[in-house]
Amino acid sequence: MAVFVYAENINGVYKKAAFEAVSYAKAVADQTGDTVTAISVNPTDSSDLLYKYGASKVINIKDEGLKNFSAKAYAQAVSEVADGNIIVFPHTTDASSVAPMLAVMKNYSLITNVLEAPESQSPLQVKRKAFSGKGFMHAKADGTGVILTVSQNAFGVKENAVSGSEEVKNLSVSNEDTKVISHEQSSGKLDLKEAEIVVSAGRGLKGPENWGMVEDLANVLGAATACSKPVSDIGWRPHTEHVGQTGKAIAPNLYIAIGISGAIQHLAGVNSSKTIVVINSDPEAPFFKSADYGVVGDAFQIVPALTEKIKALKG
Amino acid sequence: MKILVCISSVPDTTSKINFTADKSAFDKNGIQWVINPLDEFALTKAVKLQESQGATVTVINVGDATTEPVIRKALAIGANDAVRVNLDPKDSFSTAKEIASVAQNGGYDLILCGKESIDYNGGSVPGMVAQLLNQPFVNASVGLEVNGAEATAVREIEGGKETISVKLPAVFAGQKGLVDEKDLIIPNMRGIMSARTKPLQVVEPVSAEVKVQGVSYDSVPPRAAVKMVSPDNLDELVRLLHEEAKVI
């Protein structure tokens, strides 16, 4: 029986989270001796992209009614094609909206925010993130049908090319309860939760007018920008950039925190980062205790200088 | 208009998270309990709709008697009444089933929840409630207006936002932005006094079907000691990030 995976696309284009979910599904399938079948809704990207990460079959759902996202309609569509005992989703906003509805439809167990391949099968047990990153839970599914959502940037994208085939499935799911009025997507901006590097700043920057140097550093690194809670509360930065316990939880390879003291709530959202650099003028800032590298000093001198040095490195 | 707001009682955001010696459960010793901060955005939005549109706001919590102070706080913030389902919840599904059961006959136009709880982070209850009730579901809501039998919601999407119209009744999961942080209601003395006499109904659970069990828990391992770099030697920082951490 195949392991199914929901390969999310945005406007037809696969997200990194989709490749990560397929990579994860391949690891699960290798445990159970199965193959991976990916499901996508109205993709324009080639299925070759999914074969590369281990999907040997791709089911492309074609449905004009699903042109706009609706959690309920998407769950209905996925339930019509996914007939395996394990269904993997990325833990993105949309996918993690579909997964709980699908779990109820199919009467499956749902384990969200999983970090690693399952520790055991039948019953399926897996490590997941809990307490906003302050702890981990080993969760066991009761019953045989299980839906898993994979925490972004936790398992990683792993190439594992197989030969694959594509099937087009024409559906017409009813999608009358919700209607999209407008859709704004800021182009060219890196998705914070998918970013490999995140440059973040706090109240130590003294005002929104000083964010230019944060963006300069982020640009040189190909990073997304983020901020601490007080900064988004005051309105210096949009709340979509707030990382922490009540904002976004992120897990980039590199997190650079500038002028952030490191309150426990902030750490909760960022301590899954693989490497943490803290730049702060206060040598007593608690964040240094949770950092890999620290620099005590004036951010207004350090950040531009660091930007220049990284620029030089990248040549 | 009738609104049901689902609230969860969670450890205060400043809590250090510890587990029992055998790692089988969260250690509740010395923990202060608060309304889940994401649920508080939903509750405040409901109270604003109560003020502007004359809605009635019922809060629901699935929990044992120890959660009542948190329910009273929700009443002090402005909810009209409350329901507590007398069950120490074991997973998202059992919680959602109890909420849906209460909501089933309540005739609620809107069900508002936080998009996840800050303790177990399932993020699953709102969507499960919606499906159990066969209602539309909007996750990550950062805006909500109600106009008769329809609502206009703004939801966060990766790298942007989307405005949608939704037929009511429906379930909305909110987050910061649904109301601003500065608009969160801090209960005043009058609210606290009146909360004492507002109705808090306790109902017994209808089902205890659990689909996921927390088998054991681990703390986050500490990081190795921080390496401090002089601000005058940023070349060294760049070298460490490039050669040692291999992240740039």
Side-chain angles (χ1 to χ4, degrees):
Chain A
M1 198 176 275
V3 172
F4 283 79
V5 54
Y6 176 74
E8 182 172 342
N9 66 70
I10 294 224
N11 301 325
V13 177
Y14 288 119
K15 294 171 58 93
K16 180 179 146 202
F19 302 137
E20 191 172 17
V22 174
S23 306
Y24 185 93
K26 175 66 176 155
V28 176
D30 286 347
Q31 285 183 352
T32 57
D34 294 319
T35 55
V36 174
T37 299
I39 299 170
S40 201
V41 178
N42 298 329
T44 49
D45 259 354
S46 161
S47 295
D48 292 347
L49 293 169
L50 303 181
Y51 306 148
K52 192 169 147 192
Y53 299 100
S56 54
K57 186 172 174 189
V58 176
I59 301 176
N60 287 330
I61 295 173
K62 299 279 182 195
D63 186 346
E64 268 299 297
L66 300 176
K67 217 173 130 202
N68 292 315
F69 178 80
S70 145
K72 198 169 160 213
Y74 272 51
Q76 186 62 48
V78 175
S79 85
E80 288 189 23
V81 293
D83 62 358
N85 285 335
I86 301 176
I87 309 171
V88 176
F89 281 80
H91 194 78
T92 55
T93 305
D94 281 0
S96 62
S97 313
V98 175
M101 302 194 91
L102 183 66
V104 170
M105 275 177 200
K106 293 186 84 83
N107 196 26
Y108 279 14
S109 300
L110 170 63
I111 304 179
T112 59
N113 264 317
V114 304
L115 299 167
E116 296 170 1
E119 292 157 353
S120 69
Q121 292 282 347
S122 51
L124 190 143
Q125 185 172 311
V126 66
K127 183 177 177 181
R128 67 181 293 273
K129 192 150 76 172
F131 297 95
S132 302
K134 295 181 194 170
F136 304 111
M137 174 187 191
H138 300 267
K140 187 178 84 178
D142 285 359
T144 44
V146 188
I147 296 173
L148 302 169
T149 72
V150 185
S151 190
Q152 282 175 266
N153 277 353
F155 185 77
V157 172
K158 295 182 178 142
E159 283 194 29
N160 203 335
V162 296
S163 62
S165 63
E166 185 181 286
E167 182 188 339
V168 173
K169 198 103 181 171
N170 291 297
L171 296 182
S172 54
V173 173
S174 144
N175 186 8
E176 291 166 352
D177 296 332
T178 57
K179 203 168 75 200
V180 173
I181 300 170
S182 67
H183 187 100
E184 296 165 42
Q185 200 125 24
S186 39
S187 58
K189 227 174 161 219
L190 263 174
D191 182 359
L192 183 51
K193 292 194 80 166
E194 291 211 327
E196 304 271 344
I197 302 179
V198 174
V199 180
S200 184
R203 259 187 310 194
L205 253 70
K206 297 190 170 76
E209 67 280 5
N210 296 325
W211 244 260
M213 66 179 192
V214 177
E215 279 162 356
D216 288 345
L217 177 58
N219 285 340
V220 169
L221 288 166
T225 54
C227 70
S228 65
K229 181 171 182 289
V231 160
S232 72
D233 286 352
I234 319 167
W236 290 357
R237 300 296 292 178
H239 63 77
T240 48
E241 286 195 5
H242 163 200
V243 289
Q245 195 160 9
T246 54
K248 289 192 169 71
I250 55 168
N253 283 335
L254 173 61
Y255 181 70
I256 302 179
I258 304 161
I260 298 175
S261 62
I264 188 166
Q265 297 98 325
H266 186 78
L267 293 177
V270 303
N271 65 8
S272 304
S273 309
K274 279 145 208 123
T275 300
I276 295 178
V277 175
V278 170
I279 299 168
N280 203 300
S281 58
D282 175 9
E284 302 298 321
F287 214 157
F288 285 118
K289 292 200 179 79
S290 306
D292 298 287
Y293 305 107
V295 186
V296 176
D298 180 0
F300 294 95
Q301 287 171 5
I302 293 168
V303 175
L306 183 61
T307 304
E308 288 309 315
K309 290 191 188 298
I310 292 171
K311 211 184 266 174
L313 172 81
K314 301 217 161 196
Chain B
M1 178 167 54
K2 288 179 74 179
I3 305 175
L4 184 67
V5 181
C6 311
I7 63 165
S8 182
S9 169
V10 299
D12 171 60
T13 58
T14 59
S15 302
K16 287 215 161 89
I17 300 299
N18 296 308
F19 301 108
T20 54
D22 66 357
K23 294 180 160 191
S24 68
F26 168 58
D27 182 357
K28 295 179 178 174
N29 271 321
I31 295 289
Q32 294 287 321
W33 299 88
V34 298
I35 301 174
N36 177 40
L38 299 163
D39 299 345
E40 218 177 321
F41 292 115
L43 175 61
T44 302
K45 184 72 205 183
V47 172
K48 300 244 175 244
L49 289 167
Q50 176 199 56
E51 287 163 0
S52 63
Q53 306 206 0
T56 59
V57 177
T58 300
V59 291
I60 182 168
N61 167 259
V62 180
D64 60 24
T66 62
T67 67
E68 287 199 3
V70 161
I71 300 174
R72 289 283 173 207
K73 185 175 175 206
L75 292 168
I77 285 171
N80 299 82
D81 57 2
V83 178
R84 176 172 71 79
V85 181
N86 192 24
L87 174 73
D88 185 14
K90 292 285 181 276
D91 73 344
S92 302
F93 183 71
S94 57
T95 308
K97 216 162 172 189
E98 297 305 329
I99 294 169
S101 163
V102 170
Q104 194 82 58
N105 301 314
Y108 298 101
D109 303 283
L110 299 175
I111 298 178
L112 304 183
C113 319
K115 83 167 177 180
E116 67 177 11
S117 66
I118 62 162
D119 50 5
Y120 294 93
N121 304 109
S124 318
V125 170
M128 286 180 168
V129 169
Q131 186 58 39
L132 287 164
L133 295 170
N134 194 28
Q135 291 182 6
F137 169 49
V138 180
N139 202 2
S141 302
V142 292
L144 178 65
E145 298 306 327
V146 180
N147 192 354
E150 259 188 17
T152 304
V154 182
R155 70 180 192 100
E156 193 179 311
I157 53 175
E158 270 80 11
K161 42 189 183 180
E162 191 171 81
T163 306
I164 51 182
S165 72
V166 187
K167 277 190 191 155
L168 300 180
V171 179
F172 299 86
Q175 60 183 37
K176 189 172 175 183
L178 185 59
V179 296
D180 279 343
E181 185 87 16
K182 64 176 172 24
D183 293 330
L184 289 175
I185 300 164
I186 298 162
N188 55 23
M189 192 45 79
R190 195 163 144 251
I192 294 165
M193 296 305 283
S194 73
R196 291 184 185 171
T197 55
K198 285 180 177 174
L200 194 170
Q201 191 193 352
V202 179
V203 300
E204 289 307 312
V206 291
S207 154
E209 191 187 351
V210 171
K211 291 198 156 293
V212 176
Q213 290 179 44
V215 178
S216 64
Y217 297 85
D218 298 325
S219 301
V220 176
R223 267 173 207 271
V226 59
K227 279 189 187 167
M228 298 305 289
V229 177
S230 160
D232 303 321
N233 190 10
L234 294 174
D235 287 319
E236 174 63 1
L237 179 63
V238 173
R239 188 192 69 78
L240 288 166
L241 292 175
H242 184 60
E243 291 174 13
E244 189 178 78
K246 297 187 169 60
V247 286
I248 61 170

